[in-house]
């Protein structure tokens, strides 16, 4: 079901946000509004502060300068988060269903398995992401693309208003990335959910994002993909030439 | 078997094994998945310093302190200190554990040497499950209920924080607090179990059953069940076998655990 928002209020407003790790500046002077229904991609070189920006929005790193305002729809318990990876022992014997149960609303004793009260919700979430056949597989046995779908299903389990994804296309092949593109596009079309993601994959960004922020500690460009995926901004951010004219995904 | 049951010390040893076997195996599931096996080993060995400091207080300054209390205070303090140092991230976790471990054991040996109590080292290193009193059994039962209940109540939080601390924090889970509590639970368990197996063998009770269960489990629930069942049966079988074979109980329990691990390994190899 599509969400009903007051379209004149941004979900998030960042005003000159700065983040430091000790003496090292990760972000400085980052200002932007995130609007309901946006699909906003952050691109930039390694160390540009893309993941830090997501973490600041998630409240995982403190903001040292500026302000970050949230509308009630963007409170932390209404944000779904898909990390870049799970720092897990591949032999960790956790099934996909059990992993989903960790994200549910059930409280109290848990000794593995999927609580009865969560089963329908877990099934439905996995099915939406075409991952229901993976329910009894161990997480460590999944391919990159399958794991991304499961992480996405877990993030969607509580019906978030805002979805944050850190490098969703990393570690998966082109076919997997295309499938993920299709899934995310479908989720957005069906729910109108606001999506923020970080990616190095300009093809992925070009096909999914409605707005792109080119980041190198601060924004060197923020606008539509046609505006930002352009030689001028990419060279400024990445310090290398991407050919003349606007970015062409087929070539990239 | 009747002969076995007619002695108080054997009954107590078996009951102790049936209480501590499952709780150590349950704790061990989280210890192994969080990569903290060396942490529990370090705490077990560092308890020597707790014993030594307790003795020093009693013999030199005349403070009538229960050795268990001095071990408990020392182990909890060391666990909190190691946890804090590891969280600061300036030193690697293995480095923090290594210098805390060696430093505290060295201090313990120096104090024991100064007091001339070398014979204590035997009991500390290898344990004496036969000396369990009824009060010890009650203490162990309370520990088992407390530690087991806490871990199962917070099972989701610990599992998620193990997979990805950021995901856990986003869900509002206080990961730093849970990490500290987990370190303290290990210290508490190590202190209470020290009498049963001693520092040398205690880690086996915590680490081996879950490691074996992990080899054959198809999911987290199965790992918990196999680990707790294996830990309980191996501890009990070790006590009984030690009676019939007339060999020391601690090593016998550990060897039963190792046999369980080998059995699981073979089962997996055959199944594959």
């Amino acid at each position: 079901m599509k969400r009903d928002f007051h379209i004149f209020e941004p979900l998030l407003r960042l005003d000159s946000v700065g983040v430091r790790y000790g003496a090292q500046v990760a972000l400085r002077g980052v200002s932007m509004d995130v609007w309901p229904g946006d699909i906003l991609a952050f691109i930039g070189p390694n160390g540009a502060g893309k993941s830090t920006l997501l973490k600041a929005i998630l409240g995982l790193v403190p903001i040292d300068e500026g302000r970050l305002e949230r509308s009630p729809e963007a409170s932390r318990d209404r944000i779904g988060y898909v990390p870049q990876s799970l720092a897990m022992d591949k032999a960790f014997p956790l099934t996909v269903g059990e992993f989903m149960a960790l994200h549910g609303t059930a409280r109290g004793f848990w000794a593995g398995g999927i609580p009865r009260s969560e089963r329908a919700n877990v099934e439905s979430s996995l099915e939406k992401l075409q991952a229901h056949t993976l329910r009894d597989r161990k997480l460590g046995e999944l391919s990159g693309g399958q794991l991304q779908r499961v992480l996405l299903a877990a993030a969607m389990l509580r019906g978030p208003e805002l979805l944050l994804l850190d490098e969703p296309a990393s570690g998966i092949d082109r076919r997997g990335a295309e499938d993920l593109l299709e899934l995310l596009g479908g989720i957005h079309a069906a729910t109108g959910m606001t999506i923020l993601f970080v990616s190095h994959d300009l093809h992925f960004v070009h096909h999914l994002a409605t707005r792109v922020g080119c980041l190198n500690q601060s924004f060197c460009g923020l606008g539509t993909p046609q505006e930002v995926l352009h030689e001028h901004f990419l060279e400024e951010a990445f310090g290398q030439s991407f050919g003349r004219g606007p970015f062409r995904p087929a070539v990239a | 078997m009747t002969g076995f049951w007619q002695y108080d010390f054997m009954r107590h040893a078996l009951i102790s094994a049936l209480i501590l076997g499952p709780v150590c195996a349950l704790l061990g599931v989280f210890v192994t998945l969080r990569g903290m096996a060396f942490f529990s080993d370090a705490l077990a060995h560092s308890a020597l310093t707790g014993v030594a400091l307790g003795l020093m207080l009693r013999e030199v300054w005349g403070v009538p302190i229960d050795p268990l209390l001095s071990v408990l205070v020392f182990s909890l303090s060391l666990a909190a200190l190691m946890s804090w140092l590891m969280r600061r991230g300036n030193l690697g976790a293995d480095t923090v554990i290594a210098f805390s471990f060696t430093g505290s054991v060295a201090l313990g040996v120096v104090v024991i040497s100064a007091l001339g109590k070398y014979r204590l080292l035997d009991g500390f290193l290898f344990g004496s499950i036969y000396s369990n009193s009824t009060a010890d059994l009650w203490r162990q039962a309370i520990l088992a209920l407390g530690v087991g209940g806490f871990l199962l109540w917070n099972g989701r939080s610990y599992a998620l924080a193990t997979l990805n601390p950021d995901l856990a924090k986003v869900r509002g889970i206080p990961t730093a607090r849970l990490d500290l509590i987990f370190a303290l639970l290990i210290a508490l368990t190590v202190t209470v179990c020290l009498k049963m197996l001693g520092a040398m063998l205690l880690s086996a009770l915590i680490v081996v059953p879950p490691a074996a269960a992990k080899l054959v489990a198809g999911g987290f629930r199965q790992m918990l069940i196999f680990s707790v069942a294996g830990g309980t049966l191996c501890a009990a079988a070790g006590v009984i076998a030690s009676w019939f074979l007339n060999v020391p109980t601690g090593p016998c329990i550990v060897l039963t655990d190792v046999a369980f691990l080998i059995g699981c390994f073979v089962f997996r190899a055959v199944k594959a």
Side-chain angles (χ1 to χ4, degrees), chain A residues 85 89 93 98 102 110 158, chain B residues 152 164 171 214 217 219-221:
Chain A
S85 61
D89 171 4
E98 287 175 326
L102 300 181
W110 183 72
R158 293 173 157 207
Chain B
L152 292 178
N164 189 300
R171 287 289 317 278
K214 197 163 103 172
F220 190 70
R221 169 169 283 179

Side-chain angles (χ1 to χ4, degrees), chain A residues 106-136:
Chain A
R107 288 279 172 271
F109 289 105
W110 183 72
I114 311 172
R116 202 180 295 272
S117 59
E118 299 274 1
R119 277 183 200 160
N121 200 14
V122 165
E123 281 292 335
S124 142
S125 244
L126 286 172
E127 213 164 302
K128 278 180 199 155
L129 273 297
Q130 297 161 22
H132 53 290
T133 54
L134 305 173
R135 192 191 60 190
D136 297 323

Side-chain angles (χ1 to χ4, degrees), chain A residues 60 64 78 112 121 233 244:
Chain A
L60 296 176
D64 297 304
R78 300 180 82 171
N121 200 14
F233 292 116
R244 293 175 65 82

Side-chain angles (χ1 to χ4, degrees), chain A:
Chain A
M1 190 168 46
K2 287 246 184 191
R3 283 158 168 76
D4 180 23
F5 287 114
H6 303 289
I7 59 167
F8 298 111
E9 287 176 21
L11 276 181
L12 297 169
R13 171 160 284 166
L14 281 76
D15 182 14
S16 301
V17 165
V19 174
R20 282 191 302 271
Y21 295 117
Q24 193 188 343
V25 175
L27 290 174
R28 62 175 172 216
V30 172
S31 298
M32 66 168 180
D33 288 342
V34 176
W35 297 93
D38 259 351
I39 305 183
L40 181 50
F42 301 116
I43 60 168
N46 290 333
K50 306 182 296 294
S51 295
T52 300
L53 180 54
L54 286 195
K55 287 184 176 183
I57 292 169
L58 287 163
L60 296 176
V61 295
I63 291 172
D64 297 304
E65 294 160 16
R67 287 164 58 88
L68 191 158
E69 292 171 19
R70 304 167 187 276
S71 73
E73 287 82 11
S75 59
R76 283 187 207 165
D77 58 343
R78 300 180 82 171
I79 298 180
Y81 171 55
V82 177
Q84 190 172 348
S85 61
L86 295 174
M88 62 179 280
D89 171 4
K90 285 273 182 197
F92 192 148
L94 191 76
T95 65
V96 167
E98 287 175 326
F99 176 68
M100 295 290 289
L102 300 181
H103 292 77
T105 51
R107 288 279 172 271
F109 289 105
W110 183 72
I114 311 172
R116 202 180 295 272
S117 59
E118 299 274 1
R119 277 183 200 160
N121 200 14
V122 165
E123 281 292 335
S124 142
S125 244
L126 286 172
E127 213 164 302
K128 278 180 199 155
L129 273 297
Q130 297 161 22
H132 53 290
T133 54
L134 305 173
R135 192 191 60 190
D136 297 323
R137 295 266 303 276
K138 287 189 207 171
L139 272 188
E141 293 172 350
L142 302 182
S143 69
Q146 288 170 331
L147 183 61
Q148 278 299 337
R149 273 189 281 152
V150 169
L151 290 174
L152 200 50
M156 301 275 295
L157 193 67
R158 293 173 157 207
E161 304 290 352
L162 180 59
L163 189 60
L164 270 60
L165 303 101
D166 195 353
E167 294 282 4
S170 74
I172 54 180
D173 58 17
R174 176 52 59 200
R175 172 83 186 274
E178 295 288 349
D179 289 346
L180 193 60
L181 260 178
E182 202 175 306
L183 277 171
L184 286 168
I187 289 168
H188 184 259
T191 63
M193 184 183 290
T194 310
I195 299 173
L196 269 61
F197 69 99
V198 162
S199 186
H200 274 107
D201 186 334
L202 299 184
H203 176 85
F204 195 87
V205 170
H206 185 269
H207 282 85
L208 184 64
T210 54
R211 285 202 297 153
V212 179
C214 186
L215 199 64
N216 199 348
Q217 293 187 342
S218 55
F219 282 127
C220 47
L222 179 63
T224 64
Q226 289 71 26
E227 288 166 347
V228 178
L229 295 179
H230 192 281
E231 179 191 9
H232 168 71
F233 292 116
L234 296 178
E235 272 189 34
E236 191 177 330
F238 290 91
Q240 65 181 80
S241 174
F242 281 76
R244 293 175 65 82
F247 163 75
R248 287 181 174 77
V251 177

Side-chain angles (χ1 to χ4, degrees), chain B residues 140-180:
Chain B
Q140 291 165 8
I142 292 167
L143 170 95
L145 283 175
V147 171
F150 184 85
L151 287 175
L152 292 178
W153 187 261
N154 292 285
R156 285 182 186 79
S157 303
Y158 276 119
L160 195 56
T162 303
L163 282 172
N164 189 300
D166 281 350
L167 262 181
K169 285 179 201 159
V170 169
R171 287 289 317 278
I173 294 167
T175 53
R177 196 166 69 206
L178 284 180
D179 285 350
L180 176 63

